[in-house]
Amino acid sequence: MMTTAQDRTTGYYNDVRETCSAEENAAYQDAELQRIVRHAYDHAPAIRKKFDSVGIKPEEVGTVRDLEKLPITHKRDLSALQEMDPPFGGFLGVPLEQLKRICMSPGPIYEPEEIHSENDRWTQAFFAAGFRRGDIGQITFSYHLVPPAFWFEDALHRLGCVATPGGVGNTDLQVRMMRDVKVTGYVGTPSFLVNIAEKARQIGYDLQTDLRLAVGFVAGEMLPESLRDQLEADFGMLLRQGYGTADVGCLAYECFHKTGMHIPYNCVVEIVDPDTGRQVPAGDPGEGVDTVFDKAYPMIRFGTGDLS
C-alpha cells in the first residue's frame, strides 16, 4: 500500500454536497430536516412529547429557521430523562434489534447506534483532515463504554483505511505498533501524541524515519497553534482537529486550509441565545444547539451546553 505519497490536501469526500451553492445546501438541509422530524415524531415518544408540549406538528417545521419553535433538550437533562424512561429516555427511533451497539457516557447516558447507520459525519472530518484509502489509523481513544473510538473506526473503514485499536495508555506498546505495522494516521488527543513523541525518542526512534505518521486527527482537547506546529514539524505530518459530543457525534471539523470549522452537511448546528433559544446573528456568541439526521437517535434541538 502506497500511503506516504497520497494527495492529502485536495478533493472532497462528497463533492456534490461539499461544492453546492448556499441555496442548494439550504434546500438539502430543509428536506432532510423535514424527513427526520417526521420520522422522529412518529417513532420517538420523547420527540413527539416535545412537539406536543408547544402545540407544533411536524409539518410546521419545514426549514432550519422553524426549529426555533421547538424547546431545547439540554445535555444536562438527558440522564434524568433516561432514568424516567429507561434506557433511552424515549429518544430511540428504531426497534432495538436494529441497533449495532449501545454505549454509555458519564451521567450515565446511554447512546444507541443503528447497524446500518448513515452517519458519516466523522468520515467527512477524517477526509478533510487528510486521511485517504490505504492509510493505517491508530485510534488512541478509549474503547471502554464510550462511543468515540467506535465512531472513528467506522469512519476509517468508510474511507478504505485500516484501524489499529490502540485505546488509552500503553504508550510503549503503541509506539512499537506504530513502527512495526507502519501506521500512517493518528487519532486521539493532542497531549497523547506528545506522549507518543516523547516515548519514541526515549526508545531511540526517529520520529520521521522509524515512524511513518503522515496525518492526524485530534479532538477532546484544545489544540494551540504552537503545539500543532511543533507536532507537525516533529513527525512531518498534517494535523487537524474536530469537535463533537458523545451524544450526537461530529458537529464541526477543520480541513487542510485551517480557516475555521466546517459543519457536516447532514446535521444542523444552531448558535442560540441560551436564555431565549433564539438563533443569534452570525458572529455572535451563543450555545451550540444541534439537530442530527439520525433515525436511531434523532436528537432534535439538542443543547450541548457549549458556547461557540
Side-chain angles (χ1 to χ4, degrees):
M1 292 184 294
M2 298 298 294
T3 57
T4 56
Q6 294 270 26
D7 177 3
R8 302 182 183 278
T9 63
T10 61
Y12 302 92
Y13 171 66
N14 185 323
D15 56 353
V16 173
R17 294 267 55 88
E18 295 179 59
T19 62
C20 67
S21 68
E23 293 76 16
E24 290 171 326
N25 184 63
Y28 168 81
Q29 284 211 320
D30 288 346
E32 289 296 290
L33 179 62
Q34 293 165 26
R35 180 182 65 85
I36 197 63
V37 161
R38 182 76 261 177
H39 171 86
Y41 187 85
D42 289 343
H43 296 93
I47 299 298
R48 177 184 287 268
K49 185 180 296 185
K50 174 186 283 201
F51 275 74
D52 292 349
S53 71
V54 289
I56 297 295
K57 296 298 183 184
E59 52 269 23
E60 296 177 67
V61 180
T63 69
V64 169
R65 189 52 129 183
D66 291 334
L67 284 169
E68 290 184 329
K69 301 173 183 177
L70 298 172
I72 295 170
T73 299
H74 292 281
K75 181 182 178 72
R76 62 179 180 267
D77 299 326
L78 270 185
S79 181
L81 289 170
Q82 291 190 353
E83 190 171 337
M84 289 187 292
D85 186 7
F88 302 114
F91 290 97
L92 184 65
V94 298
L96 191 67
E97 59 268 23
Q98 291 185 22
L99 297 184
K100 173 167 59 178
R101 62 175 69 100
I102 298 170
C103 292
M104 183 177 72
S105 295
I109 297 172
Y110 295 101
E111 294 110 0
E113 184 178 356
E114 197 173 9
I115 294 174
H116 302 296
S117 173
E118 297 176 2
N119 179 5
D120 63 1
R121 285 175 280 123
W122 287 117
T123 319
Q124 297 171 48
F126 277 35
F127 187 93
F131 284 81
R132 297 294 184 267
R133 178 175 296 277
D135 276 323
I136 301 175
Q138 190 139 320
I139 299 171
T140 66
F141 283 98
S142 174
Y143 278 81
H144 179 65
L145 293 178
V146 293
F150 298 102
W151 285 339
F152 298 152
E153 188 168 298
D154 289 346
L156 289 174
H157 292 162
R158 281 194 176 98
L159 289 179
C161 303
V162 177
T164 61
V168 177
N170 298 307
T171 313
D172 52 344
L173 292 178
Q174 298 226 34
V175 169
R176 177 171 179 171
M177 190 172 197
M178 285 181 172
R179 187 201 65 168
D180 289 352
V181 305
K182 298 179 173 57
V183 168
T184 54
Y186 170 83
V187 183
T189 62
S191 62
F192 192 67
L193 187 54
V194 171
N195 293 345
I196 291 287
E198 292 174 350
K199 178 60 68 173
R201 288 188 177 111
Q202 289 173 11
I203 295 171
Y205 292 165
D206 183 283
L207 298 186
Q208 295 193 28
T209 57
D210 292 307
L211 302 186
R212 305 294 181 86
L213 291 180
V215 62
F217 179 85
V218 296
E221 296 174 354
M222 289 184 63
L223 177 65
E225 285 303 315
S226 58
L227 179 57
R228 189 207 308 259
D229 291 344
Q230 173 193 326
L231 290 168
E232 287 189 325
D234 286 349
F235 288 99
M237 70 190 301
L238 294 175
L239 190 63
R240 296 296 179 266
Q241 63 183 326
Y243 163 74
T245 78
D247 312 282
V248 295
C250 180
L251 298 169
Y253 58 86
E254 287 182 316
C255 73
F256 171 74
H257 298 287
K258 297 188 297 185
T259 53
M261 292 281 192
H262 296 259
I263 305 297
Y265 48 78
N266 43 359
C267 69
V268 174
V269 175
E270 302 172 83
I271 306 298
V272 310
D273 183 315
D275 296 322
T276 67
R278 306 283 294 179
Q279 297 165 15
V280 300
D284 286 2
E287 181 184 7
V289 172
D290 312 303
T291 297
V292 293
F293 307 150
D294 184 344
K295 289 183 177 179
Y297 200 41
M299 301 301 290
I300 295 175
R301 296 212 94 194
F302 172 74
T304 62
D306 295 337
L307 290 178
S308 182

